[in-house]
């Protein structure tokens, strides 16, 4: 049974960078319990910590950890029918775009809640000091996650290790290296004091802290630190699930591949997963909105492994040419993408041929997302009622990071067979025994990057990865294929709009215009 650790919380310390008035810091908890009367017992300290976990969720469907898959919507792997995501994906966002401010606000909300715990917990009397230390370790781990989004997407930002007040409204902007240094310091503390096995389902662990340390190290291309951190995770009790599609199944949550996820309560509006609603199609149990859909650029990354596949043709709805294009590929494609000719269970449990669904034209590409969406119901029409946990860190990603970090130190040609077999080949074997394996000396870095895409597409990490690989500019001048209904069937129509990308400017979001205005001297990111 799912054990929820941060639903219906009393504390909500939100940093609201929307004006320079009294809303700068909302320190008053939502139930009007003042901080001076609240931090008195270990149970209250645990509830305060739960408020930090709660900040991982993304209220009002804004960009943050709770909508993390949407970061992949900012790459050539996806299209979107939602304007604020298209602004970034197609290169016409500005410092005043609402999207730009959402992530900023979401991230600082989490930072402030973590700092509130770290500031107050020492005043709480504990009979067991190890409980206090563990609370601090979890809070510091979570603070690093919120600063990760800030450093990765804005560069240098304001660093707070305390609860800000109005006196901090003009705090100087720290460098990105200073932000990374604090994250590493937080994660080293978390590594030292977090347990290997979570004391409660969904809590941060030593493995999660090592994984985030690798992520942070890769921001500055500290390959040695990233390799060492991932090696430590590989010593722990994680394993690849035998069936790729089952990683994301509702009845297989918290499986052995999951390192860290956001836990959700199904059926409780506001405490459920919003991603299912935003990704699913109208025929699925969530009556989805199709805000983000895969592109045919993503399809091309999945290798053809069966030259003579067997399939049933659903004509005239799906012409033969679509089967020729889409059948016989790496099965991770069909676990990620709902494509013409595939079948799925609709909201009443009936097998349905895609795209024989309502509101098919909501897809900008003619494809839909299958990953992170429950098939066959239940019928959840409200936007934030999904029961499925959202996986943020998993073991397959660790294996690929380990290989990338090792290869970037001595060159991909120097990577030995044992490392390949323990990382990329292990992942490919899990996907299909028909996928060819790599041999030492016969693999390129591009092969590693493409494996990340096949394994992790539509989970959120590809935007950060593309930045690290300098692949975001691949979007410049590109169009994406669009499939729509034509007569009794479907066919390709005009390509979707051209993508624009200006390097190096677009490797960072602009600092929100409102922040520049009240910062008393902050420089805007270059080019903005």
């Amino acid at each position: 049974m799912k054990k929820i650790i941060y639903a219906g919380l009393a504390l909500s310390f939100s940093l609201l960078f929307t004006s320079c008035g009294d809303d700068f810091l909302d320190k008053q908890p939502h139930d009007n319990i003042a901080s001076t009367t609240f931090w008195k017992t270990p149970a209250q300290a645990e509830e305060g910590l739960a408020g930090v976990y709660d900040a991982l969720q993304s209220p009002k469907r804004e960009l943050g950890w709770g909508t993390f898959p949407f970061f992949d919507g900012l790459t050539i792997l996806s299209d979107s029918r939602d304007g604020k995501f298209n602004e970034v994906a197609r290169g016409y966002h500005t410092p005043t775009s609402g999207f730009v401010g959402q992530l900023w606000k979401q991230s600082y909300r989490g930072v402030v809640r973590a700092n509130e715990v770290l500031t107050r917990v020492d005043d709480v009397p504990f009979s067991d000091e190890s409980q206090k230390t563990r609370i601090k370790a979890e809070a510091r781990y979570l603070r690093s996650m919120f600063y990760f989004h800030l450093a990765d997407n804005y560069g240098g930002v304001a660093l707070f290790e305390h609860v800000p007040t109005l006196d901090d409204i003009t705090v100087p902007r720290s460098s990105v290296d200073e932000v990374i240094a604090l994250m590493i310091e937080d994660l080293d503390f978390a590594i030292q004091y977090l347990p290997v096995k979570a004391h409660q389902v969904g809590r941060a662990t030593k493995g999660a802290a090592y994984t985030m340390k690798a992520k942070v190290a890769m921001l500055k291309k500290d390959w040695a630190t990233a390799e060492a951190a991932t090696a430590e995770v590989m010593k722990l009790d994680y394993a690849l699930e035998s069936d790729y599609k089952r990683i994301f199944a509702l009845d297989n949550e918290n499986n052995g591949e999951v390192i860290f996820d956001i836990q959700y309560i199904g059926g409780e509006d506001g405490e459920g997963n919003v991603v299912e609603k935003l990704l699913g199609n109208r025929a699925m149990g969530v009556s989805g909105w199709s805000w983000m859909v895969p592109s045919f650029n993503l399809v091309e990354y999945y290798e053809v492994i069966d030259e003579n596949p067997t399939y049933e043709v659903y004509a005239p709805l799906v012409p033969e040419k679509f089967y020729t294009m889409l059948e016989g590929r790496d099965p991770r494609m069909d676990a990620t993408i709902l494509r013409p000719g595939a079948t799925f269970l609709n909201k009443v449990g009936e097998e349905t041929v895609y795209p024989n669904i309502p509101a098919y034209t909501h897809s900008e590409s003619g494809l839909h997302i299958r990953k992170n969406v429950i098939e066959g119901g239940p019928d959840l029409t409200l936007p934030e009622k999904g029961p499925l946990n959202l996986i943020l860190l998993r073991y397959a990603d660790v294996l690929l990071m380990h290989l990338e970090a090792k290869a970037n130190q001595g060159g991909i040609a120097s990577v030995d067979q044992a490392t390949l077999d323990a990382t990329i080949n292990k992942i490919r074997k899990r996907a299909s025994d028909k996928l060819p394996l790599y041999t030492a000396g016969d693999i390129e870095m591009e092969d590693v990057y493409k494996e990340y895409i096949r394994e992790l597409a539509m989970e959120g990490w590809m935007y950060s990865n593309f930045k690290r690989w300098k692949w975001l500019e691949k979007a410049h001048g590109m169009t994406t294929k669009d499939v729509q209904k034509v007569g009794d069937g479907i066919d390709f129509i005009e390509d979707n709009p051209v993508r624009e990308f200006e390097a190096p400017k677009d490797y960072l979001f602009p600092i929100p215009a409102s922040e520049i205005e009240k910062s008393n001297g902050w420089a805007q990111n270059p080019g903005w």
Side-chain angles (χ1 to χ4, degrees):
M1 182 178 179
K2 184 181 294 188
K3 195 170 186 179
I4 301 299
I5 57 176
Y6 42 83
L9 300 170
L11 295 183
S12 183
F13 305 105
S14 300
L15 185 59
L16 304 175
F17 287 101
T18 55
S19 72
C20 55
D22 293 339
D23 285 342
F24 176 78
L25 179 64
D26 175 14
K27 283 185 57 188
Q28 186 68 14
H30 284 178
D31 67 351
N32 294 320
I33 300 175
S35 297
T36 54
T37 61
F38 182 79
W39 295 91
K40 299 299 182 183
T41 68
Q44 290 175 337
E46 294 282 9
E47 188 176 0
L49 177 63
V52 191
Y53 282 92
D54 180 70
L56 293 169
Q57 300 184 29
S58 297
K60 300 180 182 178
R61 301 176 289 282
E62 295 180 347
L63 188 66
W65 285 114
T67 52
F68 189 51
F70 275 83
F71 278 92
D72 283 8
L74 310 181
T75 73
I76 60 172
L77 305 179
S78 173
D79 279 315
S80 173
R81 65 185 290 254
D82 182 75
K84 60 180 176 288
F85 294 103
N86 273 336
E87 278 190 316
V88 179
R90 294 177 181 167
Y92 54 84
H93 56 301
T94 71
T96 60
S97 296
F99 182 93
V100 169
Q102 286 178 5
L103 182 62
W104 182 277
K105 183 175 72 174
Q106 291 284 326
S107 300
Y108 273 114
R109 178 182 289 117
V111 168
V112 169
R113 292 189 190 186
N115 286 347
E116 182 77 20
V117 172
L118 293 167
T119 299
R120 301 286 183 179
V121 72
D122 279 330
D123 296 331
V124 177
F126 285 84
S127 59
D128 180 0
E129 285 296 310
S130 66
Q131 182 184 8
K132 178 195 292 186
T133 304
R134 190 259 303 156
I135 289 172
K136 288 181 177 180
E138 289 185 52
R140 294 185 72 168
Y141 165 80
L142 292 167
R143 183 169 68 180
S144 77
M145 291 196 71
F146 295 114
Y147 269 126
F148 181 91
H149 273 328
L150 291 165
D152 193 24
N153 293 291
Y154 301 97
V157 295
L159 268 187
F160 296 110
E161 296 183 66
H162 60 280
V163 178
T165 68
L166 288 173
D167 293 336
D168 293 301
I169 200 165
T170 57
V171 66
R173 184 179 182 185
S174 297
S175 70
V176 68
D177 285 342
E178 290 172 319
V179 180
I180 288 173
L182 177 62
M183 287 191 283
I184 293 293
E185 182 181 317
D186 280 348
L187 290 165
D188 282 341
F189 184 91
I191 287 166
Q192 182 175 358
Y193 293 109
L194 286 178
V196 171
K197 182 175 175 60
H199 78 100
Q200 187 177 353
V201 173
R203 296 281 188 163
T205 61
K206 198 178 295 291
Y210 271 124
T211 302
M212 280 307 300
K213 184 175 181 178
K215 295 281 188 188
V216 172
M218 292 174 95
L219 287 181
K220 60 183 299 183
K221 299 187 177 180
D222 181 354
W223 304 117
T225 296
E227 181 189 3
T230 52
E232 291 299 324
V233 181
M234 293 165 71
K235 296 175 186 177
L236 300 175
D237 192 26
Y238 297 106
L240 298 180
E241 282 291 296
S242 59
D243 182 345
Y244 179 81
K245 192 173 183 179
R246 292 279 298 157
I247 300 168
F248 312 97
L250 181 63
D251 64 355
N252 196 35
E253 291 181 319
N254 306 307
N255 60 69
E257 187 161 343
V258 177
I259 296 175
F260 188 73
D261 63 1
I262 302 177
Q263 302 273 309
Y264 285 107
I265 299 175
E268 295 192 19
D269 197 30
E271 294 298 342
N273 181 336
V274 68
V275 166
E276 287 186 79
K277 184 72 172 181
L278 303 183
L279 300 185
N281 68 65
R282 190 62 62 84
M284 289 178 161
V286 290
S287 297
W289 293 343
S290 312
W291 276 18
M292 183 176 79
V293 296
S295 71
F296 276 89
N297 297 311
L298 173 57
V299 168
E300 294 304 318
Y301 282 103
Y302 295 101
E303 299 155 271
V304 175
I305 60 176
D306 188 347
E307 297 293 343
N308 297 292
T310 301
Y311 52 85
E312 181 179 355
V313 177
Y314 294 93
L317 178 63
V318 184
E320 179 74 25
K321 65 181 179 182
F322 284 94
Y323 295 94
T324 302
M325 175 191 299
L326 299 170
E327 293 287 346
R329 292 183 182 265
D330 181 335
R332 288 175 292 185
M333 182 189 77
D334 276 334
T336 303
I337 298 172
L338 190 55
R339 46 83 180 180
T343 60
F344 72 101
L345 296 179
N346 64 18
K347 66 179 66 179
V348 295
E350 297 172 339
E351 188 170 81
T352 303
V353 179
Y354 184 83
N356 187 23
I357 63 172
Y360 170 68
T361 55
H362 283 185
S363 172
E364 293 289 318
S365 65
L367 305 171
H368 272 93
I369 292 176
R370 198 165 205 160
K371 185 183 286 185
N372 278 319
V373 182
I374 299 171
E375 292 188 24
D379 190 353
L380 301 170
T381 55
L382 291 176
E384 295 174 341
K385 294 183 67 174
L388 188 64
N389 292 349
L390 182 62
I391 300 170
L392 301 180
L393 303 174
R394 64 183 178 91
Y395 188 53
D397 193 7
V398 169
L399 298 183
L400 291 172
M401 287 194 294
H402 184 75
L403 174 57
E404 182 185 356
K406 193 175 184 71
N408 271 293
Q409 294 174 80
I412 188 67
S414 69
V415 176
D416 60 27
Q417 191 63 44
T419 300
L420 294 179
D421 289 342
T423 56
I424 192 169
N425 284 343
K426 179 178 286 190
I427 289 169
R428 288 171 70 81
K429 280 183 180 179
R430 187 262 299 275
S432 172
D433 57 11
K434 294 182 179 181
L435 281 169
L437 303 181
Y438 291 106
T439 56
D442 191 23
I443 182 174
E444 304 292 336
M445 282 306 299
E446 187 165 310
D447 296 320
V448 180
Y449 300 159
K450 288 179 177 178
E451 199 64 34
Y452 270 107
I453 294 171
R454 299 174 192 124
E455 181 67 24
L456 296 165
M458 305 294 102
E459 295 178 43
W461 285 110
M462 299 318 304
Y463 183 60
S464 182
N465 288 354
F466 272 36
K467 283 191 281 190
R468 185 170 71 247
W469 307 334
K470 301 300 180 186
W471 273 30
L472 282 181
E473 48 260 57
K474 285 178 176 284
H476 186 71
M478 288 194 68
T479 58
T480 55
K481 293 178 181 177
D482 189 4
V483 176
Q484 296 294 348
K485 286 189 176 180
V486 178
D488 293 331
I490 59 171
D491 206 346
F492 289 107
I493 60 172
E494 293 182 8
D495 286 347
N496 276 331
V498 172
R499 300 289 185 96
E500 300 292 340
F501 186 87
E502 182 182 345
K505 169 191 162 188
D506 287 333
Y507 272 93
L508 291 175
F509 291 172
I511 302 296
S514 58
E515 298 307 309
I516 295 293
E517 181 181 348
K518 62 180 177 254
S519 67
N520 192 27
W522 278 26
Q524 182 56 275
N525 281 334
W528 292 102

